[in-house]
Amino acid sequence: MIYHVLIEPFVDYGFMRRALVACLALSLSTAPLGIFLLLRRMSLVGDALSHAILPGVAVGYLLAGMSLVAMGIGGFVAGVLVALISGLVSAHTKLKEDASFAGFYLGSLALGVTLISLRGSSVDLLHLLFGSILAIDSPATVFVGIIASVTLLLLALLYRGFVMETFDRTFLRVNSRLTPHLLHGVFLALLVLNLVAGFQILGTLMSVGLMMLPAVSARCWAKTLPGTMAIAVLCGLFCAWLGLAWSFYAALPAGPAIVLTASGAFFVSILFGSRSGLAWSLYRGGLLISKGVK
């Protein structure tokens, strides 16, 4: 039964194998980034940047059609520009970084949709907004794998710096050659790079789902940073596999199915996680109320 449901589709169909490999690679690299976003209280910044890459993707589409390389380069440039401009605005005005991101990403989203509409059809627009994971080809899978590998390598090399920059910037300034601004810039560049990889799979609107939902779920269970990252990665891998499997049998869009599966894991973690335990809290509250009534 387990073989038939969870393994057989990936053995019999090449497009399912490519989709699974791309999702697994993306889960390995995006889950640790999601943890750092969560710890920095920048969870919605990832969502903002996933929208901000759309104008660059649209420009690449207008110039080269459905070329993954052109759209990827365009999306990366657009995302980095929005991140840099938002940082400058927050540094020289009274606006905080999340407010400046919100202002720029809304305009970027509208501009991207407008540019795509100039030449493309509604099918092209839906492809870019929501992805087409089951149509991913071998070059796109290699592209995602390279980005995941580069991300993991840089995270391993700069792990201590990222941790210090997240928790204590003053300590980082005193005890490291790396400045907080440099590390923050590298982190945002990695974030944009992974969102560019994710738009081909889940689209620009939902690529952040595989980044943040496993990370939030892991925070409900683990107390240490390495443990949280490990659980987030495993959760992302499991949700990608399960989401693809049930979308295959239920004839549902694969991208939304993966994000819905991750959302289900999030709700289960909130209810039963060792660090959240909402179900136990509600149960104890009900007992206290019942005893009070008696």
Side-chain angles (χ1 to χ4, degrees):
M1 180 65 180
I2 295 177
Y3 174 84
H4 175 72
V5 174
L6 294 179
I7 299 177
E8 190 175 29
F10 305 100
V11 174
D12 294 342
Y13 300 98
F15 67 91
M16 291 291 289
R17 287 195 298 273
R18 287 191 295 270
L20 179 62
V21 169
C23 281
L24 296 184
L26 197 62
S27 298
L28 286 172
S29 61
T30 57
L33 293 176
I35 295 295
F36 280 116
L37 279 175
L38 190 63
L39 294 174
R40 296 168 185 229
R41 298 183 180 181
M42 294 173 60
S43 301
L44 293 179
V45 171
D47 185 58
L49 283 176
S50 71
H51 294 71
I53 68 174
L54 188 57
V57 172
V59 171
Y61 168 73
L62 291 175
L63 294 177
M66 285 294 181
S67 169
L68 180 62
V69 175
M71 291 189 295
I73 293 174
F76 180 76
V77 172
V80 169
L81 283 177
V82 169
L84 290 175
I85 295 172
S86 299
L88 288 174
V89 170
S90 62
H92 295 89
T93 66
K94 294 182 178 181
L95 287 176
K96 293 185 178 181
E97 192 172 30
D98 59 342
S100 60
F101 266 110
F104 284 109
Y105 99 80
L106 290 170
S108 298
L109 178 62
L111 177 60
V113 172
T114 303
L115 289 174
I116 296 171
S117 301
L118 292 177
R119 174 180 168 183
S121 64
S122 59
V123 175
D124 297 326
L125 181 60
L126 289 174
H127 169 78
L128 295 178
L129 292 178
F130 299 103
S132 54
I133 183 172
L134 296 182
I136 190 170
D137 54 10
S138 296
T141 306
V142 172
F143 177 73
V144 173
I146 291 173
I147 289 178
S149 301
V150 170
T151 301
L152 289 173
L153 178 61
L154 287 176
L155 283 174
L157 292 174
L158 301 175
Y159 176 77
R160 289 176 59 87
F162 284 143
V163 172
M164 286 189 289
E165 197 263 336
T166 299
F167 292 105
D168 194 341
R169 289 192 169 195
T170 303
F171 182 83
L172 177 63
R173 291 191 187 98
V174 175
N175 295 277
S176 177
R177 297 178 182 178
L178 300 173
T179 65
H181 294 296
L182 175 61
L183 284 171
H184 189 64
V186 173
F187 176 76
L188 288 179
L190 288 177
L191 183 61
V192 173
L193 195 62
N194 279 267
L195 291 172
V196 167
F199 94 85
Q200 174 70 13
I201 298 174
L202 299 173
T204 58
L205 294 185
M206 286 189 292
S207 58
V208 74
L210 203 55
M211 180 181 292
M212 292 311 307
L213 288 171
V216 178
S217 300
R219 285 286 288 168
C220 296
W221 296 94
K223 294 182 179 180
T224 64
L225 182 57
T228 306
M229 287 188 174
I231 293 176
V233 169
L234 292 174
C235 180
L237 297 176
F238 175 75
C239 291
W241 192 320
L242 186 60
L244 282 171
W246 76 270
S247 71
F248 176 80
Y249 290 107
L252 294 173
I258 293 171
V259 177
L260 279 175
T261 305
S263 299
F266 166 63
F267 285 121
V268 170
S269 299
I270 289 177
L271 289 174
F272 304 107
S274 57
R275 299 194 65 217
S276 56
L278 180 60
W280 173 243
S281 298
L282 293 175
Y283 176 71
R284 289 187 61 189
L287 287 179
L288 292 175
I289 291 173
S290 64
K291 289 180 180 180
V293 171
K294 293 179 180 179

